[in-house]
Amino acid sequence: MITALDRAQTELANIVGAARVVSDEGTRASLSVDGKTPGLAVYPPSAQQTAEVLRYASHERLAVIPCRNATKLSIGNPPRDYDIALCMKEMNRVWHYEPEDLTISAEPGMKFGDFQHFVGRHGLWLPLNPPGGASASLGGIVATNASGSYRCFYGTPRDMALGVKVATTEGKVVKAGGRVVKNVAGYDLTKLMIGSFGTLGVIVEMSFKLFPRPTERATFVLTAGTLEKAREIRRALQLSPIRPLRAALLDASYMEFLKESEHLKECGGGCEIWIEVGGSERVVGRCSSELKQIALRANETFREQERNSTMAGVWSRIDDSYSGVRANTDDWLLRVSMAVSAVEEYMIRANRDQLRPEHFWRCWAEPLGGIVHLWLHPHPEPAGFEEVIHNLRRLGEELGGSLVVEIAPFAGKAKVDAWGTIGDDFEVMRKLKDAFDPNHILSPGRFVGGL
Amino acid sequence: MKSFTRELIRLVGRDAVLWRPEDLMLYEYDGLSSLRQPDAVVLPTTTDHVVGIVKFAAREKVPVVARGAGTGLSGGAVTPEGGILIGFSRMKKILEIDLENQRARIQPGVVNLDLSLAVSDQGYFYAPDPSSQKACTIGGNVAENSGGPHTLAYGVTTNHVLGLEVVLPGGEVIHTGAAHWGRPGYDLTGLIVGSEGTLGIVTEITVRLMRKPEAVKTLLAVYDRVLDATRTVAAITARGITPAALEMMDGFTLRAVEDATHAGYPKDSAAVLLIEVEGLLENVEEESDQIEAVCREDHARDVRRAKSNEERELLWRGRKNAFGAIGRISPSYYVQDGVIPRTRLPEMLEFIAGVAEKYKLQIGNIFHAGDGNLHPLLMFDARDEAQHQRVLKAAREIMAKCAEMGGSITGEHGVGIEKNELMPLIFSPDDLDAMRKVKSVFNPAGEFNPAKLLPSGKMCGELRVQVSAGA
């Protein structure tokens, strides 16, 4: 008997070539999402072929999840259906690169590490540090609006993308925005696509503005005995003339973890605030003396972190919040976004009211970005553990923020929504989904409100 | 008085409705053109008022157009099909200032500069700074995604808006975005900013505030050849320096500006660059030196640094009042707003000179050069219809060149009724269909700001400007 998937394999092979439609078990299993394994993996080599695959899938109502290196596929609710893994790996070319203009257009399958290396030759970079690090793909970064600790200074892909091309379920390749740094012609569909997690279309090309890499960078560490003290230091930092490239508040639980994992010897036991500044030697020197003053006024210690593997290791732990967190085990990774002023308050209350030693939790935050990261790995997971997650979400919402579950065990995902409460703008989001993906074939059920 | 007007008065009160032709006259034009009077102007003070007006308009099937200060340059705030014009001049409250979180919640009628003034003493400012910032409203800036000279370093309006309250054509009120970075869901805030009042009417805005830098330095580089000035622009970027602002004026424009404002631009020069750097004191000193060196390498005849705040403000006053200065010497002018990759400025400048010659026009050039955003000023006399037509043809040629260079037909002024028929220069029919899909989700019947932004399909690639004398 010929099944729908057999038919699809033949039809898709006509679009992309038989070698690019893969059905072997190993490949399919490696692309499974929340326990669901796709029937086929398709590797389109061009924008137009991507669009044709989508048109076919939409017509046949086959569910598609786009991906590249699967670094961020853990985010989102379990898919309702999953027939085709659309793997963008072959689309990894650079189309336009004008270093003097600080602009570039590239395809989604390009790995972030390769991209940074490519533009790094001219002293440029895209100042992001997304989960997945060098293995993250450009497409995945834009689709999830992934950034990292530099967001407090440079913003997110939303602030760097100049335009996108998107393959639609109608089989078209649609352009939004452009390749110049300023452009207000028409609706800003680029913004709509960024962070839509591949639920409206599949990004097949994107243009960015690039940034000159700071000539010097240095990391300074301020101790903060308590979270109250950390708040005082954060406020002083906000009022100082310096603008750090990034800052991380590591609470005692995280410091314990770093002591072990990164052989961090210097730390004393309480919280620490790690700050990276950039610029010329004189600018870095000035930042150093400003930070020293802040530490002095707060009665805390200050040190310049040696430029060694420990420093690199700590920053990469902080940036790549997913490193070490194991998907599909007992680990939970939560990201709570909120106003900057609420960060320490959230950590204090979560610590006091919600978290217990048996949750084996670690907590770190971006005090200037308004984000708290929580990594819990209760083992074995106590019954009703999802109530803890609900409470942590409620606490975030009470402080005006929102909690996203980035990684969770299978069983947990069934009980806790990844995205949280929807707002009064959800109806518009639903209609946009209907307009761009009328048969709901793109990552069905994975996004906010079950979109 | 029509029953129509009576119903509006019932909704918002007698003093908030204008219906006499002599009152409506003030609202029939904006910074671009004058077309047709609205049937009524309503001046609400609350979101509930706006909801009431929108619901009434939906029942009556009449268009609704939102208007801030009417300073827009693409006809976004005029009523080409009549209908109700909602003026936001009375919704100008700053509702909340939260300095610790560097944000403010405001009504859309707040004047751009007023917000910066309100937080200036505490060391903060609102970054997008259109030249009309003394008059234009932030609601209008949101509609047009406005820029300004300092957007080179800070980004345009969309980079500074965190959340919106929006009234949809059915009268529903939605809240997009959040006061923090990471609310999940589609970025409706990003979609609505720059949608020119065609998707919804914004009634409240949460914006980001920035800390004032410790030091600011303004440099004026003076050139004997305009091409040298344009080369400097790319050279500065290529050195890895991002100034806070990098503006260019050609000789013709700077002379007009100097006559009007006595800002200190040397009248015998062919072009000037106005460059601003800011940040830590050390940074500003180093970058000023580097920039000066680059300017001199590209044959700047002189590089001056503003010695006092007064001198700095004077230089900027000249730049920000440039359009007004042109108004003193030409009965009418048409400001264009194109974008090109900044490395191609020298080529573009030569092209514009060729266009001026071909159409026998005087064209002044004033550019946000750092981000490749051009504002050629095409001078003419509106009473001379033949000349008016030549202006439109010349402007269209410049726009087509921007598109050909991989640029855009508007960097900050918007599409409106001015350039909607030019959209096919940079977007394919499929691209435009995707935009129509978005519009059909928000504004299916098209009552909100009709005839704007998207091409009507009735005209073919034409600029639609009826620039009035002295515009």
Side-chain angles (χ1 to χ4, degrees):
Chain A
M1 197 183 84
I2 298 173
T3 65
L5 272 175
D6 291 334
R7 222 171 29 242
Q9 185 159 10
T10 313
E11 293 293 331
L12 293 170
N14 287 337
I15 299 171
V16 297
R20 295 196 177 94
V21 184
V22 175
S23 60
D24 77 88
E25 208 176 322
T27 307
R28 292 191 293 111
S30 72
L31 293 164
S32 65
V33 173
D34 298 330
K36 270 207 168 73
T37 303
L40 295 170
V42 180
Y43 299 79
S46 74
Q48 194 49 51
Q49 282 156 303
T50 307
E52 281 164 30
V53 169
L54 291 184
R55 173 164 47 196
Y56 176 78
S58 181
H59 186 259
E60 299 298 318
R61 291 177 164 66
L62 296 169
V64 176
I65 299 183
C67 69
R68 163 66 172 95
N69 279 336
T71 54
K72 287 174 280 296
L73 277 181
S74 59
I75 315 174
N77 291 319
R80 271 196 298 273
D81 298 294
Y82 185 17
D83 301 303
I84 299 171
L86 191 65
C87 187
M88 306 307 287
K89 164 183 223 165
E90 287 198 26
M91 292 183 61
N92 60 1
R93 287 156 290 196
V94 169
W95 287 119
H96 299 274
Y97 175 44
E98 303 201 32
E100 292 206 337
D101 238 337
L102 309 185
T103 56
I104 191 166
S105 306
E107 289 186 329
M110 191 167 189
K111 283 194 188 180
F112 188 59
D114 296 339
F115 178 88
Q116 294 289 59
H117 183 73
F118 184 81
V119 299
R121 295 172 300 158
H122 295 102
L124 304 175
W125 68 335
L126 200 58
L128 297 170
N129 27 29
S135 336
S137 69
L138 291 183
I141 290 169
V142 172
T144 61
N145 195 26
S147 47
S149 54
Y150 285 128
R151 74 190 119 215
C152 70
F153 185 83
Y154 289 104
T156 69
R158 182 190 194 272
D159 303 295
M160 300 164 195
L162 305 173
V164 290
K165 283 185 186 164
V166 177
T168 70
T169 58
E170 286 179 317
K172 295 174 176 174
V173 177
V174 164
K175 180 187 86 165
R179 299 202 313 269
V180 282
V181 295
K182 219 167 164 188
N183 189 356
V184 297
Y187 297 132
D188 195 348
L189 298 186
T190 307
K191 297 276 189 302
L192 180 61
M193 295 299 163
I194 295 173
S196 65
F197 283 77
T199 59
L200 297 174
V202 175
I203 296 167
V204 288
E205 187 184 319
M206 58 217 98
S207 300
F208 297 104
K209 68 171 166 183
L210 297 167
F211 296 76
R213 223 178 240 278
T215 43
E216 297 288 328
R217 279 185 282 168
T219 294
F220 300 98
V221 181
L222 277 69
T223 59
T226 60
L227 286 163
E228 284 81 2
K229 191 61 107 175
R231 174 160 51 203
E232 185 186 323
I233 292 172
R234 188 255 303 153
R235 285 180 178 153
L237 200 54
Q238 283 180 288
L239 294 175
S240 85
I242 68 169
R243 286 192 63 204
L245 297 177
R246 51 179 164 170
L249 165 56
L250 313 171
D251 86 345
S253 67
Y254 203 77
M255 290 311 301
E256 279 303 315
F257 165 65
L258 287 179
K259 257 193 226 172
E260 212 174 289
S261 64
E262 300 299 331
H263 315 291
L264 191 67
K265 295 183 195 78
E266 294 93 335
C267 62
C271 311
E272 286 192 352
I273 300 174
W274 283 53
I275 295 165
E276 186 181 65
V277 296
S280 69
E281 218 179 306
R282 275 181 72 205
V283 167
V284 169
R286 169 74 192 286
C287 292
S288 163
S289 65
E290 290 287 335
L291 290 168
K292 203 177 283 173
Q293 286 304 314
I294 290 174
L296 207 65
R297 279 196 296 271
N299 272 326
E300 291 288 343
T301 67
F302 162 92
R303 69 171 193 269
E304 176 164 0
Q305 180 64 39
E306 242 184 282
R307 217 172 292 214
N308 55 18
S309 59
T310 301
M311 180 183 104
V314 170
W315 276 124
S316 95
R317 289 266 174 209
I318 292 166
D319 287 338
D320 186 0
S321 49
Y322 296 10
S323 75
V325 186
R326 297 149 306 157
N328 307 333
T329 61
D330 296 327
D331 285 8
W332 291 77
L333 183 67
L334 313 175
R335 187 185 72 213
V336 201
S337 311
M338 63 195 79
V340 165
S341 63
V343 165
E344 299 86 5
E345 176 75 14
Y346 184 88
M347 290 168 84
I348 291 167
R349 287 172 61 183
N351 201 339
R352 188 188 62 206
D353 304 334
Q354 307 302 338
L355 300 164
R356 300 282 165 264
E358 62 270 26
H359 299 154
F360 297 101
W361 55 276
R362 291 152 195 167
C363 181
W364 72 107
E366 297 167 41
L368 301 178
I371 295 183
V372 175
H373 302 273
L374 267 166
W375 173 11
L376 306 103
H377 46 136
H379 183 75
E381 191 169 302
F385 181 67
E386 61 278 2
E387 202 44 44
V388 175
I389 309 292
H390 285 306
N391 289 340
L392 288 166
R393 172 168 279 156
R394 259 195 295 278
L395 176 59
E397 290 176 355
E398 202 181 300
L399 293 170
S402 51
L403 180 149
V404 172
V405 177
E406 295 187 300
I407 291 177
F410 290 152
K413 279 205 165 188
K415 294 178 198 154
V416 181
D417 185 85
W419 308 101
T421 317
I422 54 171
D424 58 16
D425 56 348
F426 179 71
E427 187 55 18
V428 174
M429 293 186 196
R430 198 188 53 71
K431 286 184 187 164
L432 284 165
K433 171 74 174 174
D434 289 344
F436 282 89
D437 178 19
N439 294 330
H440 290 221
I441 60 144
L442 286 166
S443 300
R446 300 212 74 205
F447 200 41
V448 174
L451 292 179
Chain B
M1 195 192 293
K2 292 189 231 167
S3 65
F4 183 85
T5 313
R6 265 194 293 275
E7 180 63 16
L8 287 171
I9 288 173
R10 198 186 61 74
L11 284 168
V12 294
R14 180 169 286 274
D15 73 332
V17 180
L18 305 175
W19 52 276
R20 293 187 180 88
E22 59 272 30
D23 290 330
L24 297 178
M25 258 176 79
L26 294 171
Y27 293 87
E28 70 184 18
Y29 62 90
D30 65 1
L32 175 80
S33 61
S34 157
L35 286 166
R36 178 179 154 181
Q37 283 191 350
D39 295 308
V41 173
V42 193
L43 306 169
T45 43
T46 65
T47 300
D48 283 346
H49 281 166
V50 177
V51 170
I53 298 160
V54 164
K55 283 186 173 164
F56 170 69
R59 278 200 305 276
E60 298 287 315
K61 295 191 169 52
V62 297
V64 179
V65 177
R67 179 183 177 100
T71 55
L73 294 166
S74 56
V78 293
T79 50
E81 298 183 1
I84 299 171
L85 190 137
I86 304 183
F88 278 91
S89 50
R90 292 184 187 173
M91 284 179 75
K92 56 177 179 188
K93 279 199 202 104
I94 296 176
L95 301 167
E96 186 191 353
I97 290 174
D98 176 356
L99 293 179
E100 187 174 1
N101 292 307
Q102 294 191 210
R103 66 193 185 195
R105 199 161 52 83
I106 60 168
Q107 288 188 317
V110 170
V111 169
N112 177 297
L113 189 62
D114 287 352
L115 179 58
S116 281
L117 291 175
V119 292
S120 175
D121 285 351
Q122 291 103 316
Y124 296 83
F125 69 107
Y126 174 65
D129 61 338
S131 293
S132 54
Q133 72 182 138
K134 282 183 192 164
C136 66
T137 64
I138 294 180
N141 296 168
V142 166
E144 303 295 323
N145 193 10
S146 306
H150 288 83
T151 56
L152 177 57
Y154 290 103
V156 293
T157 300
T158 193
N159 305 106
H160 296 270
V161 175
L162 294 165
L164 298 170
E165 178 182 83
V166 186
V167 179
L168 300 178
E172 310 91 334
V173 179
I174 63 167
H175 297 81
T176 71
H180 61 84
W181 173 86
R183 184 174 164 229
Y186 298 139
D187 183 3
L188 301 185
T189 308
L191 190 57
I192 291 168
V193 174
S195 65
E196 305 189 6
T198 64
L199 299 184
I201 293 179
V202 170
T203 47
E204 206 175 288
I205 307 158
T206 304
V207 296
R208 223 153 58 108
L209 300 172
M210 306 295 289
R211 279 280 289 169
K212 278 193 208 168
E214 177 184 60
V216 182
K217 193 57 112 182
T218 305
L219 292 87
L220 185 75
V222 182
Y223 293 83
D224 287 328
R225 293 195 321 161
V226 67
L227 284 182
D228 289 334
T230 55
R231 286 199 186 101
T232 303
V233 174
I236 290 174
T237 314
R239 295 283 175 95
I241 306 169
T242 307
L246 175 45
E247 301 283 304
M248 198 197 101
M249 265 186 266
D250 68 3
F252 178 85
T253 312
L254 73 89
R255 278 185 282 282
V257 167
E258 188 55 26
D259 286 342
T261 54
H262 310 293
Y265 303 135
K267 284 169 70 173
D268 62 341
S269 59
V272 293
L273 291 179
L274 187 61
I275 309 164
E276 194 153 275
V277 287
E278 54 180 50
L280 289 178
L281 209 54
E282 291 81 354
N283 182 51
V284 165
E285 281 171 10
E286 285 172 353
E287 289 197 338
S288 300
D289 291 346
Q290 288 164 359
I291 287 172
E292 177 166 348
V294 175
C295 294
R296 294 207 187 271
E297 272 169 40
D298 279 314
H299 316 295
R301 147 181 124 190
D302 187 20
V303 182
R304 286 165 33 195
R305 300 185 190 193
K307 288 180 196 68
S308 63
N309 210 24
E310 289 69 43
E311 200 183 338
R312 173 180 172 257
E313 277 172 13
L314 197 58
L315 286 173
W316 274 111
R317 198 177 311 150
R319 165 59 188 90
K320 294 208 169 178
N321 293 322
F323 294 173
I326 294 294
R328 295 174 72 219
I329 57 168
S330 178
S332 309
Y333 64 88
Y334 179 32
V335 188
Q336 258 310 334
D337 173 40
V339 191
I340 56 167
R342 50 204 147 194
T343 44
R344 300 189 71 178
L345 280 171
E347 195 186 327
M348 189 62 178
L349 218 78
E350 282 186 51
F351 180 82
I352 292 174
V355 168
E357 203 180 306
K358 178 175 166 191
Y359 291 103
K360 299 184 185 64
L361 295 169
Q362 180 72 52
I363 302 182
N365 287 297
I366 181 159
F367 297 169
H368 300 307
D371 38 31
N373 188 187
L374 322 170
H375 292 321
L377 296 154
L378 292 78
M379 276 150 264
F380 68 107
D381 184 341
R383 293 161 296 190
D384 180 344
E385 185 49 34
Q387 197 186 31
H388 186 191
Q389 289 308 317
R390 291 208 304 280
V391 161
L392 295 183
K393 280 189 184 140
R396 192 195 182 284
E397 258 181 54
I398 296 169
M399 288 300 99
K401 187 71 179 173
C402 290
E404 186 196 311
M405 286 181 169
S408 175
I409 56 169
T410 171
E412 55 182 12
H413 295 174
V415 175
I417 46 166
E418 179 198 9
K419 286 179 175 164
N420 53 342
E421 307 300 345
L422 289 191
M423 289 284 274
L425 281 178
I426 51 172
F427 292 114
S428 73
D430 286 348
D431 303 340
L432 293 168
D433 275 349
M435 290 188 198
R436 286 193 186 95
K437 267 198 181 109
V438 168
K439 184 170 174 181
S440 71
V441 163
F442 284 87
N443 182 15
E447 306 101 328
F448 275 12
N449 218 0
K452 312 280 175 77
L453 195 138
L454 289 165
S456 64
K458 290 177 206 144
M459 298 165 82
C460 188
E462 283 168 37
L463 275 164
R464 272 204 301 175
V465 201
Q466 285 115 43
V467 186
S468 52

